[in-house]
Amino acid sequence: SMLVVMQLSDTCAAEPMRLQLLTNDTPETTGAVCLDGSSPGFYFRPASDPENAKRWLIYIKGGGWCYEPQDCLQRSGTILGSSDGWAPTNELGGMMSTDPLVSPSFYAYNHVSIEYCDGASFSGDVDSPVQVAAGTHGGANGTVYFRGHRILQRIFEVLMDDYGLDSATDVLLTGCSAGGLAVYLHCDEVAEMLHASERQLNYRCAPGSGFFLEHSNAAHQPVYPDQMQQVYQMQNLSALTVNRRCVQSFLTSHAHQPADAWKCVFAAHTYPFVSWPTFSINSAYDIWQQSCILTAVPVPEDSVSNGQCSALPNSCACLADPTQCSLNQTLAINGFADAFMTDFGKSLAVHPVGHGAFLYSCQTHCAFQSAFWNQFTVNGMTMQQAVTAWWTTPSTAPTAHHLHLPCHRPSPPTD
């Protein structure tokens, strides 16, 4: 029978996902637009057999953030800030593959890839167009729109009204990197848009590489937290655009300062408040975080640069090859992995039932959308097997049954 499956997947090439641009969405109509004012959109491929017609895998694309108006203006001229250059079709691998041998649980589902062009994980909402002036570090004059949250709302509206998402029975929301963070930030809100409770949907969330740490660099400078606070304030994130309960906890609890509500842009603060079953896929040694959090340096305030990653001395060599790391670098990297496990553990402790995680120690980012989906193992179980076991188990299962934890990288000899 395996031979038959292989012949099928060789001969019946699946349809690619096709671009669906929301051409009615303009600055003059809904205002749900990319950074440059162009229309947002998503890629869609219908289920490949009738049995899966009401099952959906919805993926939110990533691509970092822009941290300053000038940085966002630069971004607005790329495919991460404008739909102008988007290809008519798209393919994703790993979890989103149409090959039954690669993604046996999900290959035949309706597939959606929500494209990312707002620079703030679908969370910004600034009413007026933002005028950007050239600064002391160069750049240009121009206009940008911070409307990511409207884009998310509109895309789900269109999927519900015109694509059959309103009759779904099973929906898994996933995403990678900035899109993985978007899954934590919007998991509950998407459930509301799907009317998941009323419809008794099997709705769950599986963020990939989205648990970014609120952590200083190895030189004890809060580079990345400062950048994300800037995103939160510049793009007007709020209880209306990220996890409402998280933001309210900062505004009402004695333990928190209202001014710190921006911290809800971090999964460690938001995930405890997510009320739908969630399975996190993340490396404790995530290469993007090691590069752009642990070894990043600050950039000037009106810089056109999108942050300076791997910029502490000798970072590049160490991140490319662990044997090139000094003792201090290895201790910093292991300390970062320990901080990841501590922060994640605190968030997960709030969810004794229905959740799970596949946390590993390979130095990658978004591995679940590549061949690593079937290659990385924790205690003999692959990512694919771990996600499938959780997805096919009732959400009343103990979280501990679906927890796959990483090994610790040994420290080098001290001589």
Side-chain angles (χ1 to χ4, degrees), residues 35 64-68 72 116 118-127 130 145-150 152 178 181-186 189 224-244 246-248 250-251 258-267 269-270:
L35 287 170
W65 305 269
C66 52
Y67 305 118
E68 301 274 350
C72 294
Y116 181 37
D118 66 274
S121 292
F122 297 88
S123 303
D125 194 0
V126 174
D127 259 335
V130 176
Y145 296 84
F146 294 147
R147 304 285 179 73
H149 188 250
R150 294 188 205 184
L152 189 74
L181 175 61
V183 175
Y184 288 111
L185 299 179
H186 305 300
E189 185 191 359
Y224 181 69
D226 286 354
Q227 288 171 325
M228 294 308 282
Q229 180 173 10
Q230 180 78 16
V231 171
Y232 192 96
Q233 291 164 346
M234 172 179 72
Q235 291 226 27
N236 192 33
L237 278 62
S238 71
L240 299 175
T241 70
V242 294
N243 185 290
R244 195 180 309 129
C246 179
V247 175
Q248 284 169 347
F250 277 93
L251 302 182
D260 285 342
W262 64 271
K263 293 185 177 191
C264 289
V265 78
F266 286 95
H269 292 284
T270 278

